[in-house]
Amino acid sequence: MQVSVESTGTLGRRLTVSVPANQVEAAYSDRLQRLARQAKVPGFRPGKVPTKVVEQQYGPRLMEEVVGDLIQTSFREAVGQQGLRPAGGPKIEPKAVQRGEEFRYTAEFEVYPEIRDVNLEGVKIERPVARIEDEDIARTLETIRRQRTRWNAVTRAARNEDRLRIDFTGRLGGEAFEGGAAKDFPLVLGSSTLLDDMERGLIGAQAGETRNVPVKFPADYRHPKLAGQAAEFDITIHEVTEPVLPALDENLARELGVADGSLDQLQRDVRGNLEREAGKRTNLILRVRVMKALQAKFPIELPQALIDAELATLKTRDRTGPGSTPPMPEDDARYRARAVQRVTLGLLLAEAMRARGIKVDAQAVRARVEDMAAEYESPQEFIQWYYQQPDRLGEVESMVAEEQAVAELLTTAKVIEQSVAFQDLLKMNETF
């Protein structure tokens, strides 16, 4: 077999392969003999059909099958011989072939870009470090108390943070409009659930009262017909209730899983939870910063075949996932940018892992699945569900491997600790 290769671009290659006539003949004869033993031709017993008869009837189809087999086997051998790594399937152009002739074809394809020594040397990466303060614990406990609020009916005038039960009807130019009415609607004053004008207009109201409240819809209101319009609402108040938060005491501690009701233990538990949350948040931010640094340091040309495949995957996922909507034509640029980013990072991380001999650790994968399962009512069922499907487990394996690669890459960067408040850490919205 003779092979020649030429470049058609940075990543494009054209391979010309010549398969010797004797190899073509051997493949054809072998297939012809096998078909002759199986063919059913009127006038001949099974297995006794002369090969000439079989060839007359099936010759063109036989040669087509032989060509397909030869392309498959010779292409794999040729790219290995030339040390090429095709990215995506080749475009094959076979030449016509007859028995006794050599077979030639050309194959055009893209190869993976050469990526060497993926590291972050000379790159500064800021690692956010958040210390959990007493006020963070107090804020969390206050949030927990608010989540357990009871509402007691009152006869006094309504004030901010009270919850009202109301009926309302909105009118625009004296006419009721669609979506402007509700009955037994629960409203906490100051929550910005309804228009600010409406909520302010109910301060001081009492149960049994009906109020007419003028409002002005914002210019950027979500319903264009109402945006910037002046309207009025007739509002009937059925009930006014005030919030009563549970005391921060032993009873609350027991409700939250502290068996002996110790407030000190409750605070230690909350601190531990916040520290774990801070750790997860920090790791997520570091991952994004490492990815950005990799993209900036290693601009690489990508095979179009890989981009197209990733583009199709993203669109399919969005089209079939929960709450999905079909991608619109105007979304193509956004999808393509995501595809380019994912392919770039995938290639860089794969090379970093290969060069460092990073392999997925089964124990680390198990620990990650168990960590995910801890958030569910039946952790063991969740774990079994993951391990029953290789695809699902593969996603976790990829996640763990990526984290290992990020950790290794961080050892090559100049990591600078960035002291931040816990609340500021939660507000960091690091995205690609």
Side-chain angles (χ1 to χ4, degrees), residues 82-103:
Q82 297 295 320
L84 300 173
R85 294 176 61 217
K91 178 183 177 183
I92 303 289
E93 290 187 9
K95 308 297 182 184
V97 63
Q98 301 292 331
R99 291 189 67 174
E101 298 179 355
E102 72 171 6
F103 169 55

Side-chain angles (χ1 to χ4, degrees), residues 99-118:
R99 291 189 67 174
E101 298 179 355
E102 72 171 6
F103 169 55
R104 298 183 65 207
Y105 68 90
T106 60
E108 293 193 17
F109 53 91
E110 293 174 294
V111 295
Y112 282 91
E114 282 194 25
I115 307 172
R116 299 183 184 279
D117 196 19
V118 177

Side-chain angles (χ1 to χ4, degrees), residues 118-121 290 349 352-353 355-359 400-413 415:
V118 177
N119 63 70
L120 292 178
E121 289 178 8
V290 166
L349 286 174
M353 292 171 63
R356 291 165 175 78
I358 296 175
K359 299 186 184 301
V400 171
E402 182 181 292
E403 289 173 356
Q404 288 178 266
V406 168
E408 286 285 336
L409 288 167
L410 277 172
T411 65
T412 68
V415 180

Side-chain angles (χ1 to χ4, degrees), residues 137-149 245:
I137 297 172
R139 185 182 291 109
T140 301
L141 288 171
E142 180 65 15
T143 299
I144 292 172
R145 291 176 67 212
R146 288 187 175 277
Q147 290 170 345
R148 287 164 170 72
T149 297
L245 276 61

Side-chain angles (χ1 to χ4, degrees), residues 184-214:
D184 278 338
F185 188 87
L187 171 66
V188 176
L189 295 182
S191 65
S192 296
T193 302
L194 299 179
L195 294 170
D196 289 344
D197 286 349
M198 286 181 69
E199 295 194 17
R200 281 194 295 267
L202 291 172
I203 297 293
Q206 291 183 290
E209 181 181 348
T210 296
R211 287 192 172 189
N212 180 270
V213 179

